[in-house]
Amino acid sequence: MSLKKYSWEISQNEEHPAGKAMLYATGMTDKQMNQPFVGVASCGYESNPCNMHLNDFAGLIREASRAHGLTGLVFNTMGISDGISMGTMGMRYSLVSREIIADSIESFILGHSFDACIAVAGCDKNMPGAVMGMLRINRPSIMVYGGTIRSGNYQGEKLNIVSAFEAYGKRVKGELSDTDYQGVIENACPGAGACGGMYTANTMSSAIEAMGMSLPYSSSTPATAAEKEKECKEVSQYIKILLEKDIKPKDIVTKKSLENAVRVAVALGGSTNAVLHLLAIAKTAGVDFTLEDFKRVNHETPLLGDFKPSGKYLMEDLFEQGGLPAFMKYLLNKGMLHGDCMTVTGKTLAENLENVDPVVPSLVNVIHPIEQPLKETGHLCILNGNLAPEGAVAKISGKEGKSFTGPARVFDSELEANEAIKNKTVNKGEVIVIRYIGPKGGPGMPEMLKPTSMIIGAGLGSDVALITDGRFSGGTHGFVVGHVTPEAYNGGPIGLIQDGDKITIDADSLKLSCEVSEQEMAERKKKWKNKDLSDLQGTLKKYNLLVSSASEGCVTDK
């Protein structure tokens, strides 16, 4: 069976001899030129633990592909480390990097007429960016997750990346000495791998495995485990199957597989960013999947995973108990997943799980029983109301309570809010409002992990709420609402709120509202002046001009 489709244009087309000549210059043989070309996209770079090992994984994949009769060739895309850029101007580039990754994969694979793609992704935006790029090219593709980090340890306390952020709040409050603060910082991240809790990286790796775009166990295997290296050596076998069967990403990413992805993300207690990224993946796949679908699946799905940031466990704990396939087998047995969805193994989800033993849940386990969930319905609440006519996303595990009402404390930047929390001028009972940081207004929709971690560290987690047209890190917990649309920059109601306005967040009625009349809002709108972004240039200027709203996934090719 011939596997070749696209690379013939460059390697064998007699009317294009320059292509073949240039391939000879790389040392490629006639045999290799006649094999399918597989682009191995690495998001590797040296400056964070999530990505520092990905180039090594890409090399393993390349060499293994050649042993399987494929011509693997590595190319690089990029990433922005959320953890490093958090709370700085660099965070404006984090979500933007998702689009750059998708653009890079589309441009390289189509520009070089490659037949297939394997993407090696680590930090948060790498994964949805890679899948979006794969959907755009719609050629056989598989994503390999770089893996979760192992837990750190300081003085017997198990640590993760959020421990570092929350340590700052504790030091400000006077609960942590400078020595112990430094001890937490130095030991929070012990080596390679993405943030260890059910933060955005592990949320998206789990959702993408449930969607069928990565191999079983990819999402839950730690970066430093021998099984991760084995996955890199075996993935080319599956790309060959996809080439033989002509199974492409748009055959895998369907409404049913997206429901599986959302179901798993919600049941595990995943990040609010899953809403944004899965909407973008759906849009790129051409699948009609909206906030209303999220609302429906969230309402149908109990919260079962007791993961950090609001719970106790890390992804390494699920790995020790059978990994994500064991959890998915449990959900499948309970009738909560579509087993007939195609996956990158060339088999259906149910076929992949046929010989997998389901996880054994308990009230003292990382996974709770479906009959005794942590929360009866999901935690990714889609809110509407006069403050969010086009929607907002709240991450409410139930531990925070179900509603919060208080006077607004308004900030037009994250920096202003951070200074107020640091200087202890935020009062109990207030609803902190951070605005003009949406996809256009940021621009780039930065994450608010620093202020929320400072709130938790300062002991105000149950006493204040926070709403924003920006995003939250998967490490955020507390009574928080993000993705408020329309954003302030687009003239949304969040831009018209004033200090003291009474705001209500209600998880039961799914409302985000303020007690200000329509007439008063209309009067304020007449006096409203937008944020001045006239000095933008380059990447952020293009993003500001092209990006859609958060309720549409913040895509740039709408």
Side-chain angles (χ1 to χ4, degrees):
M1 179 184 294
S2 175
L3 304 183
K4 290 197 62 56
K5 288 192 170 187
Y6 308 104
S7 55
W8 171 88
E9 289 185 84
I10 289 178
S11 64
Q12 299 300 312
N13 186 350
E14 291 184 1
E15 297 179 4
H16 184 48
K20 194 167 186 177
M22 295 180 80
L23 292 175
Y24 277 133
T26 70
M28 196 175 292
T29 65
D30 285 332
K31 178 178 182 293
Q32 289 172 324
M33 289 187 207
N34 279 297
Q35 296 173 164
F37 281 24
V38 178
V40 183
S42 173
C43 295
Y45 53 91
E46 295 182 332
S47 59
N48 84 340
C50 317
N51 297 67
M52 67 185 192
H53 57 305
L54 300 189
N55 288 337
D56 294 333
F57 283 175
L60 290 174
I61 293 168
R62 177 192 60 210
E63 295 310 309
S65 76
R66 297 180 179 186
H68 290 107
L70 304 170
T71 300
L73 296 165
V74 175
F75 68 99
N76 282 84
T77 176
M78 50 81 75
I80 302 295
S81 171
D82 288 4
I84 290 173
S85 65
M86 197 72 66
T88 73
M89 288 301 292
M91 177 47 71
R92 269 70 182 164
Y93 289 89
S94 169
L95 185 58
V96 178
S97 74
R98 186 190 75 182
E99 306 306 300
I100 297 173
I101 291 165
D103 291 346
S104 299
I105 290 174
E106 174 195 357
S107 300
F108 186 92
I109 296 293
L110 298 185
H112 290 88
S113 301
F114 276 26
D115 302 294
C117 179
I118 299 170
V120 193
C123 197
D124 303 18
K125 311 309 172 293
N126 300 177
M127 287 171 278
V131 173
M132 289 163 67
M134 292 169 175
L135 285 162
R136 290 187 197 171
I137 64 172
N138 202 32
R139 296 178 184 180
S141 301
I142 299 175
M143 191 201 82
V144 174
Y145 178 38
T148 185
I149 197 170
R150 295 287 193 180
S151 58
N153 187 284
Y154 178 67
Q155 294 186 345
E157 181 183 353
K158 202 171 183 179
L159 302 176
N160 64 94
I161 185 61
V162 175
S163 305
F165 284 102
E166 293 184 355
Y168 178 73
K170 291 178 181 177
R171 189 177 70 162
V172 169
K173 194 180 178 184
E175 292 183 352
L176 201 65
S177 69
D178 288 348
T179 300
D180 287 338
Y181 172 72
Q182 186 63 26
V184 171
I185 303 306
E186 290 181 3
N187 292 281
C189 299
C195 301
M198 197 48 61
Y199 312 139
T200 304
N202 284 328
T203 298
M204 289 312 302
S205 67
S206 300
I208 289 167
E209 182 177 326
M211 191 191 303
M213 284 299 296
S214 62
L215 295 176
Y217 300 97
S218 183
S219 66
S220 48
T221 302
T224 55
E227 291 90 340
K228 184 55 70 174
E229 187 172 315
K230 183 171 181 281
E231 177 188 351
C232 292
K233 292 178 179 179
E234 292 180 348
V235 65
S236 295
Q237 299 175 39
Y238 294 98
I239 273 288
K240 198 165 184 177
I241 291 169
L242 298 181
L243 283 161
E244 289 169 347
K245 295 185 176 183
D246 195 26
I247 297 172
K248 300 181 287 293
K250 288 185 180 179
D251 300 319
I252 294 171
V253 181
T254 63
K255 185 147 190 170
K256 288 167 73 173
S257 72
L258 282 162
E259 286 188 0
N260 285 345
V262 175
R263 187 90 63 198
V264 166
V266 170
L268 290 175
S271 164
T272 53
N273 282 311
V275 179
L276 200 68
H277 297 321
L278 291 171
L279 285 174
I281 288 170
K283 169 68 174 63
T284 308
V287 177
D288 181 19
F289 198 89
T290 69
L291 280 176
E292 287 303 311
D293 293 296
F294 266 95
K295 185 181 291 188
R296 170 178 54 82
V297 176
N298 185 74
H299 184 72
E300 298 168 350
T301 308
L303 174 59
L304 304 178
D306 191 15
F307 286 99
K308 289 182 180 295
S310 57
K312 301 174 185 175
Y313 297 98
L314 301 171
M315 182 60 100
E316 66 180 8
D317 298 305
L318 182 60
F319 170 71
E320 298 294 340
Q321 295 175 26
L324 190 74
F327 177 63
M328 289 174 61
K329 183 63 173 285
Y330 180 71
L331 293 182
L332 184 68
N333 287 348
K334 296 292 184 180
M336 297 190 70
L337 294 178
H338 301 291
D340 58 343
C341 292
M342 181 53 61
T343 75
V344 292
T345 64
K347 298 179 180 180
T348 65
L349 183 144
E351 289 171 332
N352 288 343
L353 299 177
E354 185 175 358
N355 297 316
V356 173
D357 293 327
V359 71
V360 179
S362 77
L363 296 180
V364 293
N365 196 352
V366 62
I367 302 298
H368 282 226
I370 203 167
E371 296 81 11
Q372 295 174 282
L374 289 157
K375 189 170 180 284
E376 294 288 342
T377 58
H379 65 300
L380 293 181
C381 301
I382 308 300
L383 308 182
N384 293 93
N386 66 353
L387 272 183
E390 295 175 12
V393 182
K395 184 178 182 181
I396 300 175
S397 68
K399 294 180 179 179
E400 310 86 352
K402 293 186 176 182
S403 66
F404 193 104
T405 299
R409 182 75 180 281
V410 182
F411 302 98
D412 287 340
S413 73
E414 179 189 359
L415 180 61
E416 293 174 30
N418 290 342
E419 285 300 308
I421 299 165
K422 179 181 177 181
N423 295 328
K424 303 178 183 178
T425 60
V426 170
N427 301 311
K428 291 183 178 182
E430 290 181 330
V431 178
I432 299 170
V433 179
I434 307 178
R435 62 191 183 188
Y436 292 103
I437 55 169
K440 285 185 177 290
M445 205 181 181
E447 292 182 347
M448 296 295 102
L449 180 58
K450 189 168 184 179
T452 56
S453 295
M454 289 173 69
I455 288 167
I456 297 295
L460 293 171
S462 60
D463 297 313
V464 300
L466 190 153
I467 72 170
T468 179
D469 51 9
R471 297 182 295 124
F472 293 113
S473 163
T476 293
H477 58 117
F479 223 117
V480 296
V481 182
H483 309 201
V484 174
T485 52
E487 61 176 292
Y489 186 85
N490 283 345
I494 190 172
L496 307 177
I497 297 172
Q498 297 178 0
D499 283 341
D501 290 346
K502 187 174 287 187
I503 295 175
T504 295
I505 306 163
D506 194 303
D508 285 333
S509 64
L510 299 177
K511 293 293 183 184
L512 175 63
S513 58
C514 65
E515 293 183 18
V516 180
S517 68
E518 290 184 21
Q519 182 179 358
E520 172 62 19
M521 281 293 202
E523 288 299 316
R524 293 181 186 180
K525 187 68 178 283
K526 292 177 184 177
K527 302 173 185 176
W528 172 74
K529 291 184 179 180
N530 204 356
K531 180 180 180 180
D532 181 13
L533 292 177
S534 58
D535 60 342
L536 284 179
Q537 63 179 10
T539 301
L540 292 183
K541 183 171 185 176
K542 287 185 284 187
Y543 193 78
N544 169 268
L545 292 171
L546 293 172
V547 69
S548 69
S549 76
S551 62
E552 297 170 313
C554 293
V555 294
T556 54
D557 61 346
K558 183 182 173 187

